Amino acid sequence: MNLTNISVIKDNRSECYSIMGVTNIEEYINYVKSVYENRGGISGQRDALKSSSAIKIRKRLIKDIGRGTVLPPIVIGLLLPNEAFDKMSEVVEIGNTLSAEFVSSLVDSVSVENISLIDGMQRTTAIIESLTVDDSIAENKIRIEFWAVRNINNLIYRMLILNTGQVPWNVRRQLEVLFSPIKETIRTRIPSATIYSIDDERRRSASSQFQGNDIIEMFLAFGSRKEKIELKERIAEEFTRLDFIETSDKNNLMDYFIRCFDMLNNLDAELGKIKDESEYGGKKPKFFNGYDLFSSQPARIGFMVALATKILGRPGTDKDANLQDASLVKIESNFKALIGKINSIEEKELPEFLSFNVLNEIIDKPSSKVGDFERTFFKEAFTALIEQDFQIDNFESCWRAY
């Protein structure tokens, strides 16, 4: 992308850079389309608003773009490798700015998986529609603001701040736009986990397989430390957003999430080896083989929320970052001991260790909101596991904690 009029401001709070530049509409659209080619296209990322007022505004915007209006800057997140980020930092420190050539080269060097359009989807939709009406606007100028970071947590924080107080986008849809970098981070740090894309219809058929939407929900639950995420309700959405902002402002939320997800994946892999040879007459129980436990989204949510609450503190608390780090290190050490214990148990005794007979008896209760009950149940169960420092004779004490 060819850029001019470069200006750079360092964000000292999050150690990232705001880089503003000017390009033309054709350059911008070509760049954005390449970013979203393997995600179903721009329009698939977010539906156009359909209210009568939104339609009128968009129609007016399309006309104004054709007449040469100047749009507010569109914000694009760039997740840079450490080497590229350090080189950029050095150049900025030397000259207090970046050349147009340097920025253009930097922007073009970032892989598709590490680029996110975090503010400006509706404007982009309007621009595309305007081009179909009048392709002469391709040379019109447009401002782009790049947020260059080395840590995806800073992109999430920026995204939430940009959209707080606006009507258009709920937290889940925003995070879907950032899902590709999240997926790439998990793939790099936890290569044993298979993460399907958000729009992929493939189903889990073995341990260590996870669907994109489930990962997003786990991340939401982890950041807000709430097992029930009701994003359809405006108030609940705003409280989730607030919890995310407070959490992101105080620690490396993504790093904590990845380390906790790694534990879930490891436990899932170990339990997946457990096969129950028992004979069951009639209906097969919900939890039968070890693989079944984390095939349940409520169980995954409960595990992640229990960890997040222990590490970060309850929502609204201000737990010191050093205490958070210490809590996670202790949990990881205790968890490793649990994995060692599972490996030391004879194969024929593992089903008894899981105590799925107790779990199935307790979980099989009529409820108007089965999903909510199961989420709370598993949160309490895994909270008990953590409170016992993962030192258990079997899982019965966990299943009876609710």
Side-chain angles (χ1 to χ4, degrees):
M1 181 189 295
N2 293 317
L3 293 156
T4 60
N5 302 87
I6 303 298
S7 65
V8 182
I9 300 176
K10 183 179 181 180
D11 183 331
N12 292 308
R13 187 203 69 82
S14 53
E15 287 295 311
C16 58
Y17 291 87
S18 167
I19 306 170
M20 187 79 78
V22 176
T23 189
N24 62 42
I25 282 177
E26 182 178 25
E27 290 263 355
Y28 166 68
I29 293 300
N30 287 338
Y31 186 76
V32 174
K33 278 188 174 180
S34 70
V35 171
Y36 286 97
E37 267 181 359
N38 61 351
R39 303 185 202 174
I42 294 172
S43 59
Q45 297 302 311
R46 178 187 176 202
D47 293 334
L49 300 174
K50 295 180 175 62
S51 67
S52 58
S53 59
I55 292 172
K56 288 179 181 178
I57 292 171
R58 188 163 57 250
K59 286 181 178 179
R60 178 57 186 268
L61 179 57
I62 291 169
K63 289 181 180 179
D64 288 347
I65 290 173
R67 295 167 63 185
T69 193
V70 176
L71 295 172
I74 288 172
V75 184
I76 295 177
L78 303 176
L79 182 59
L80 303 179
N82 285 331
E83 184 178 345
F85 188 90
D86 290 339
K87 182 179 179 180
M88 177 189 64
S89 300
E90 290 174 7
V91 174
V92 172
E93 288 179 9
I94 292 172
N96 203 32
T97 188
L98 296 171
S99 68
E101 292 77 14
F102 184 95
V103 175
S104 296
S105 177
L106 178 71
V107 168
D108 291 337
S109 70
V110 181
S111 62
V112 170
E113 293 80 11
N114 292 325
I115 302 172
S116 303
L117 177 55
I118 60 177
D119 188 51
M121 193 68 76
Q122 292 294 319
R123 275 163 282 164
T124 302
T125 301
I127 290 170
I128 292 173
E129 291 184 26
S130 298
L131 280 169
T132 63
V133 176
D134 181 8
D135 59 9
S136 68
I137 68 167
E139 295 302 317
N140 288 8
K141 300 299 182 183
I142 185 171
R143 285 196 178 98
I144 311 293
E145 181 182 14
F146 296 96
W147 276 91
V149 306
R150 69 163 107 225
N151 186 330
I152 194 174
N153 194 62
N154 295 330
L155 280 186
I156 294 169
Y157 179 79
R158 178 56 45 187
M159 171 194 71
L160 293 170
I161 291 294
L162 280 170
N163 288 281
T164 296
Q166 297 183 21
V167 174
W169 227 351
N170 65 36
V171 177
R172 182 187 297 272
R173 182 55 74 177
Q174 293 175 47
L175 286 173
E176 285 182 5
V177 172
L178 281 174
F179 175 69
S180 187
I182 292 174
K183 178 182 176 182
E184 182 67 14
T185 303
I186 293 175
R187 187 192 67 79
T188 302
R189 293 180 55 178
I190 312 176
S192 62
T194 300
I195 313 296
Y196 299 130
S197 65
I198 285 177
D199 296 320
D200 199 326
E201 295 297 327
R202 294 181 64 183
R203 297 289 183 181
R204 170 180 162 104
S205 59
S207 297
S208 297
Q209 295 178 351
F210 305 92
Q211 215 280 333
N213 284 321
D214 294 335
I215 296 291
I216 293 298
E217 189 173 17
M218 277 189 269
F219 186 51
L220 284 170
F222 186 86
S224 60
R225 289 150 286 169
K226 297 173 183 176
E227 72 272 22
K228 302 172 187 176
I229 305 294
E230 300 289 348
L231 292 185
K232 292 181 180 179
E233 299 179 16
R234 181 68 181 177
I235 294 177
E237 176 183 327
E238 290 305 321
F239 274 104
T240 300
R241 189 195 305 267
L242 180 60
D243 289 331
F244 254 82
I245 291 173
E246 290 179 345
T247 304
S248 299
D249 188 43
K250 291 182 175 65
N251 57 50
N252 189 342
L253 179 63
M254 176 53 66
D255 180 64
Y256 287 174
F257 174 76
I258 294 291
R259 289 164 70 179
C260 290
F261 182 79
D262 188 32
M263 285 187 278
L264 185 151
N265 181 64
N266 286 335
L267 183 56
D268 186 32
E270 290 300 321
L271 298 184
K273 301 173 185 176
I274 302 175
K275 308 296 181 184
D276 193 340
E277 303 298 333
S278 303
E279 294 290 335
Y280 281 88
K283 184 180 178 182
K284 184 179 178 180
K286 183 171 184 178
F287 299 99
F288 187 68
N289 293 314
Y291 151 88
D292 294 330
L293 181 60
F294 288 126
S295 292
S296 163
Q297 181 69 347
R300 293 189 291 242
I301 293 288
F303 185 83
M304 297 301 286
V305 171
L307 286 172
T309 303
K310 183 65 175 180
I311 296 163
L312 306 174
R314 295 188 179 278
T317 59
D318 189 13
K319 193 173 181 180
D320 181 77
N322 291 328
L323 290 177
Q324 293 175 348
D325 289 337
S327 293
L328 180 51
V329 170
K330 179 182 178 182
I331 286 172
E332 288 173 325
S333 175
N334 292 334
F335 175 82
K336 193 173 294 184
L338 173 65
I339 296 298
K341 180 180 178 67
I342 294 174
N343 287 325
S344 69
I345 297 174
E346 291 188 21
E347 186 175 330
K348 63 181 181 180
E349 297 176 352
L350 283 171
E352 183 179 347
F353 176 74
L354 277 179
S355 304
F356 273 180
N357 58 327
V358 176
L359 172 59
N360 285 312
E361 178 185 338
I362 297 174
I363 207 78
D364 188 21
K365 292 183 178 180
S367 173
S368 59
K369 293 186 177 181
V370 175
D372 287 352
F373 163 71
E374 290 188 358
R375 285 165 185 249
T376 303
F377 171 86
F378 282 113
K379 183 192 73 172
E380 295 299 325
F382 290 120
T383 296
L385 178 65
I386 296 167
E387 293 298 334
Q388 296 176 86
D389 293 330
F390 295 87
Q391 297 175 15
I392 55 173
D393 294 326
N394 55 54
F395 272 90
E396 181 172 352
S397 63
C398 301
W399 307 145
R400 294 193 182 282
Y402 179 73

